[in-house]
Amino acid sequence: MRFIKFNDQQVDSFLFMELSDLAKALTKQADIEVDYSVQSYLDPVDRKIFISHFWDHREKSETVEGFKSDIFLRSIGNFYYTNFKEIGLFLQKIDAYKLKSFAKQLCMLLEDIRLEEICIKDRPGTKKAFNIRKKLYRKHFQGQLTIHQERNILTDALFNYIYLKLTSESLEEIPLLSESLDRTLPYIDTKIFSIYEAKSTTESIKIVLDIMDVLEEILDKDMLNTYFYLAELAYETFQANTLFEELKRKSKLKNKDSLKDAKSGDEDVHEDKLPTWHSETSKPTKSFLQFELEQGTNTTINGDGTVREGEDTDQALAMVQGTSKKAKKNDYSKLEALENKSEERATGGELAYGKENKYAIPIFIDATSPKANEIDEYTENRTNIMLFQNKLKLMILKTLEHKRTMPRTDLHIGRLNKKFLRLLTDDNPKLFYKKQEKSPEIDAAFTLLVDCSASMYDKMDQTKLGITLFHETLKSVRVPHQIVGFWEDTNEATKTYQPNHFHKVITFEKSLNQQSGPEIMQLKPEEDNRDGYAIRHMTKQLSRRQEKQKFLLVFSDGEPAAMGYERNGIIDTHESVLEARKMGIEVLNVFLSTREIDEATKNTIQNIYGRYSVFVEKIEELPEQLFPLLKRLLLNTI
């Protein structure tokens, strides 16, 4: 599996996974996505954070801190503190401006500076990343200002000037722009520096609009370059101000009728029962349990405003709203408890196999009756691995025999012997024995998942030889297993329909049949591969097995590639491996290659599978390298 390529650039997949985890941790949203773009911004509609390619081609430390600063600004700043309703209204106001791009970029710049102060205050550990961000941006804008002054591109030069002025830590001299602009610079300076006193997005926007009222009359041309990006999205669909509040928002009641006869003091006293109220309630009372109902009735009964936070001494199944004094325990009111997650995300639904695979469709294919040439090929493969198979079988049988508990006598514990004379003759009599026990068996199940993508063309024959070793050895020691090839049909795949084929050449039910095996020869290279999706399907099947130990071995050349899967495929595969291991299934990768594997590729594979990876640099040596792996796995199951 090589580094992800984006516009012919290599992207560090492990760093990308770290950034994704960081975004999820800061937003407390497991389904928030991270992606690359020319400029960094938060898409609150699709709930996606874009990090900028501005940080590419720099020192490693600068690149990492630059990406992190993007994540901090979007995950802490925009996610919690940007008012997207106001952003939508702002875009409507400037729609007819001739300097529309300048207005949008200035708004984004001022908002980022306001949010940067908030991020550093909330999380002081972000200061290092923001310092590096400012240093690199200042260097970039200084060069841009010189170029635009020489070419008399005034609007871009003014934007460069504003950034340098805002982020300057000393009274540095900035070259003059033009006679018409220079007269307005004192006013612009006063306005832009007020951003450090702004408390909301609304105040940031007001600063921008005040500046634009002046510049619309002075400048004729809009900006040529884009330094900060403000996406024009459907912000009008937001009912809450920030994305965080939008995610917390509860669904409205389906009916808005209210009980008009509810009056203060019109309550009943209930000693044993506390009634609930809903649309069918005939009369309201004050002493009711208030549940979160989507269907209900609005009453005119209001609380007195003296409620307190619930705590662990309240009722087990309900949060009581009382009028007692404030609890003396810790104040958790500032912790963000995101509510009202969609039922689909809670239960799986179409996202049960990962959000990157929501349009993937499984197509299971059964093996056909082996043909004569397939039987001959398999017989030849079985002959080639016979030596390894016999060694493994003999080793396992000997281990099982040693594990067997033989009948033993003269013990201090166990079943009581009938020879009590030793109580008189021996100083330390051993009067107990243990009965013979049955020989232990291997209580395990294996799934061999074989990558059948086109990139396996030069590796498939040797792969089938290694799989034959697994099959014959597991069959000889009576361990149930299945062998499945997987691929995605490129020709039929679309953005909303991605057929994934699972060729079950050996099933659990037939794996121990003496005649089984030639079906393995039906595996062949096909098209694309969606690894994370395939691993989740095999995990689901293995989880239904009754064996105590379950193993999933993935034979692959490590290059996930499918429709819309190139960039996020590595992360999706990594997440599928973690999910399987949480269910008690050991996932191992056998990485196949025909040449020496470079260090970057090894790191990427180990980022996905951890230390459970076997690298086969010479595919013709696959059986020899699989022998110790299979030996270790089988011995661990006894």
Side-chain angles (χ1 to χ4, degrees):
M1 189 173 301
R2 301 188 182 97
F3 275 31
I4 310 166
K5 287 189 177 181
F6 181 84
N7 291 342
D8 297 327
Q9 300 180 35
Q10 287 190 335
V11 176
D12 188 338
S13 58
F14 185 56
L15 174 59
F16 188 74
M17 286 189 282
E18 283 185 332
L19 296 173
S20 297
D21 290 341
L22 179 61
K24 292 173 182 178
L26 293 174
T27 60
K28 298 181 176 64
Q29 289 289 292
D31 58 350
I32 201 81
E33 295 183 40
V34 174
D35 207 342
Y36 288 95
S37 181
V38 179
Q39 302 297 339
S40 170
Y41 66 98
L42 169 66
D43 183 342
V45 178
D46 291 336
R47 295 163 67 171
K48 183 178 289 189
I49 293 172
F50 290 93
I51 53 180
S52 174
H53 278 286
F54 176 79
W55 312 111
D56 291 334
H57 309 299
R58 302 180 186 275
E59 294 291 334
K60 177 68 175 178
S61 59
E62 293 179 341
T63 298
V64 172
E65 296 301 330
F67 282 141
K68 285 184 178 179
S69 69
D70 281 347
I71 295 294
F72 294 147
L73 270 178
R74 311 306 161 213
S75 301
I76 305 173
N78 293 134
F79 187 84
Y80 291 103
Y81 298 102
T82 294
N83 189 324
F84 291 107
K85 277 187 175 181
E86 291 296 326
I87 293 292
L89 295 174
F90 169 74
L91 290 173
Q92 293 176 13
K93 291 179 182 178
I94 67 169
D95 189 51
Y97 282 23
K98 62 182 178 182
L99 303 179
K100 183 178 178 181
S101 176
F102 182 91
K104 289 168 58 179
Q105 294 192 58
L106 182 59
C107 176
M108 194 67 178
L109 168 60
L110 296 182
E111 185 71 354
D112 278 0
I113 289 178
R114 182 181 75 86
L115 296 175
E116 182 178 322
E117 298 296 316
I118 294 175
C119 293
I120 295 175
K121 182 179 179 181
D122 287 356
R123 294 180 179 268
T126 63
K127 187 174 182 179
K128 177 185 175 183
F130 284 121
N131 286 340
I132 292 177
R133 178 188 185 89
K134 184 184 298 183
K135 171 188 170 184
L136 296 177
Y137 261 129
R138 282 188 58 81
K139 183 178 179 180
H140 176 68
F141 277 108
Q142 284 169 349
Q144 289 291 297
L145 177 59
T146 303
I147 293 172
H148 293 140
Q149 282 181 312
E150 292 174 353
R151 298 179 181 178
N152 199 32
I153 305 175
L154 294 181
T155 312
D156 288 67
L158 176 60
F159 190 86
N160 302 147
Y161 166 86
I162 290 175
Y163 182 87
L164 293 173
K165 198 72 174 179
L166 275 172
T167 57
S168 176
E169 296 180 357
S170 61
L171 297 175
E172 62 178 314
E173 288 292 331
I174 298 178
L176 299 178
L177 301 177
S178 71
E179 185 178 347
S180 59
L181 277 177
D182 290 345
R183 289 197 300 268
T184 64
L185 290 184
Y187 173 78
I188 293 175
D189 290 349
T190 303
K191 282 294 181 182
I192 60 175
F193 278 110
S194 62
I195 190 61
Y196 290 103
E197 299 175 0
K199 304 297 182 184
S200 65
T201 305
T202 305
E203 295 182 28
S204 300
I205 291 174
K206 187 178 185 306
I207 297 172
V208 175
L209 293 176
D210 289 343
I211 294 175
M212 294 309 299
D213 287 342
V214 175
L215 295 181
E216 280 286 307
E217 298 178 1
I218 299 175
L219 298 174
D220 297 323
K221 295 181 180 180
D222 204 354
M223 289 181 65
L224 296 178
N225 299 288
T226 301
Y227 302 103
F228 295 90
Y229 183 67
L230 178 57
E232 296 191 25
L233 304 172
Y235 298 111
E236 65 275 3
T237 61
F238 270 54
Q239 297 184 31
N241 291 332
T242 65
L243 179 55
F244 172 66
E245 291 171 341
E246 179 73 12
L247 296 177
K248 287 180 62 179
R249 179 177 57 82
K250 297 182 179 180
S251 301
K252 293 182 179 180
L253 294 175
K254 292 185 178 180
N255 58 300
K256 295 293 291 183
D257 57 319
S258 60
L259 295 177
K260 299 179 180 179
D261 57 343
K263 299 178 181 178
S264 177
D266 189 19
E267 65 268 15
D268 297 333
V269 177
H270 301 271
E271 296 180 356
D272 299 323
K273 297 180 179 179
L274 292 173
T276 63
W277 55 270
H278 47 76
S279 294
E280 289 71 31
T281 302
S282 58
K283 291 184 179 181
T285 67
K286 275 190 174 179
S287 52
F288 55 80
L289 286 177
Q290 189 172 6
F291 291 94
E292 294 180 358
L293 301 176
E294 289 189 357
Q295 298 186 12
T297 304
N298 293 331
T299 73
T300 55
I301 300 176
N302 296 318
D304 58 4
T306 58
V307 297
R308 66 168 175 83
E309 295 275 341
E311 55 183 82
D312 54 8
T313 55
D314 291 333
Q315 291 185 7
L317 300 178
M319 189 67 75
V320 176
Q321 293 183 334
T323 57
S324 60
K325 64 181 181 180
K326 184 176 180 180
K328 295 182 179 179
K329 294 196 172 184
N330 295 333
D331 180 15
Y332 296 103
S333 59
K334 293 184 179 179
L335 292 181
E336 297 84 5
L338 298 180
E339 302 168 354
N340 198 34
K341 289 187 177 179
S342 66
E343 183 178 351
E344 182 181 274
R345 291 190 178 91
T347 59
E350 66 178 10
L351 301 181
Y353 296 99
K355 59 180 178 294
E356 300 296 333
N357 310 307
K358 60 182 177 180
Y359 298 116
I361 305 296
I363 300 175
F364 294 96
I365 305 171
D366 294 328
T368 58
S369 299
K371 298 177 182 178
N373 65 314
E374 293 172 348
I375 296 175
D376 293 340
E377 290 176 11
Y378 185 76
T379 302
E380 182 180 353
N381 278 357
R382 187 172 58 187
T383 301
N384 292 335
I385 56 90
M386 188 67 70
L387 177 63
F388 295 111
Q389 180 210 332
N390 289 337
K391 280 185 178 180
L392 283 171
K393 182 180 179 180
L394 183 61
M395 190 180 307
I396 296 303
L397 292 177
K398 284 184 177 180
T399 304
L400 289 172
E401 186 63 26
H402 284 302
K403 290 279 185 177
R404 183 179 180 184
T405 304
M406 302 300 293
R408 293 175 291 166
T409 58
D410 300 334
L411 302 175
H412 288 292
I413 58 173
R415 293 173 178 261
L416 183 62
N417 203 321
K418 295 181 179 179
K419 300 177 181 179
F420 297 117
L421 183 61
R422 297 180 187 179
L423 288 170
L424 302 175
T425 59
D426 296 349
D427 295 332
N428 187 20
K430 300 178 181 179
L431 303 177
F432 300 92
Y433 72 97
K434 286 188 176 181
K435 293 181 66 176
Q436 179 177 349
E437 295 181 358
K438 293 182 179 180
S439 177
E441 296 180 352
I442 300 177
D443 191 11
F446 284 75
T447 290
L448 276 63
L449 187 59
V450 186
D451 175 8
C452 290
S453 63
S455 59
M456 289 285 289
Y457 178 80
D458 57 344
K459 313 176 187 78
M460 187 56 76
D461 290 340
Q462 291 296 323
T463 300
K464 287 189 281 191
L465 182 63
I467 293 171
T468 300
L469 171 61
F470 262 88
H471 173 63
E472 288 297 325
T473 304
L474 294 175
K475 183 168 64 173
S476 66
V477 293
R478 309 300 295 172
V479 175
H481 57 280
Q482 69 172 349
I483 302 172
V484 183
F486 72 97
W487 72 92
E488 180 172 294
D489 193 326
T490 307
N491 296 326
E492 295 184 10
T494 65
K495 290 185 178 180
T496 57
Y497 174 73
Q498 294 140 12
N500 279 255
H501 299 262
F502 295 92
H503 192 182
K504 304 178 76 171
V505 292
I506 300 292
T507 63
F508 282 114
E509 294 75 19
K510 297 181 180 180
S511 61
L512 303 184
N513 293 350
Q514 288 301 317
Q515 296 78 16
S516 65
E519 296 87 351
I520 295 173
M521 298 297 107
Q522 296 176 16
L523 294 173
K524 59 182 180 179
E526 299 285 353
E527 298 174 38
D528 286 346
N529 56 306
R530 193 176 288 269
D531 293 29
Y533 183 67
I535 289 174
R536 287 185 175 93
H537 269 284
M538 295 304 104
T539 297
K540 184 177 180 181
Q541 294 183 9
L542 269 175
S543 64
R544 297 170 181 165
R545 301 288 302 179
Q546 299 301 316
E547 289 81 5
K548 289 183 179 179
Q549 293 178 291
K550 301 163 189 176
F551 299 91
L552 173 58
L553 276 73
V554 183
F555 288 79
S556 173
D557 61 353
E559 299 176 358
M563 176 70 72
Y565 198 67
E566 290 83 358
R567 190 179 316 147
N568 295 327
I570 293 177
I571 295 179
D572 183 64
T573 306
H574 173 67
E575 290 176 347
S576 69
V577 171
L578 293 181
E579 292 166 9
R581 287 174 179 164
K582 287 178 182 177
M583 299 174 67
I585 298 172
E586 287 292 341
V587 184
L588 301 94
N589 175 255
V590 180
F591 185 87
L592 309 171
S593 180
T594 56
R595 58 183 181 274
E596 184 178 354
I597 304 170
D598 59 83
E599 195 64 29
T601 302
K602 285 185 178 181
N603 290 337
T604 303
I605 291 298
Q606 290 174 343
N607 290 339
I608 297 175
Y609 295 95
R611 58 190 179 88
Y612 300 97
S613 302
V614 177
F615 295 96
V616 182
E617 295 186 343
K618 296 181 180 180
I619 192 68
E620 61 273 11
E621 298 177 358
L622 181 60
E624 289 90 336
Q625 297 204 36
L626 289 181
F627 177 81
L629 171 64
L630 186 54
K631 171 187 172 183
R632 186 169 69 250
L633 292 178
L634 288 174
L635 290 178
N636 288 341
T637 62
I638 302 175

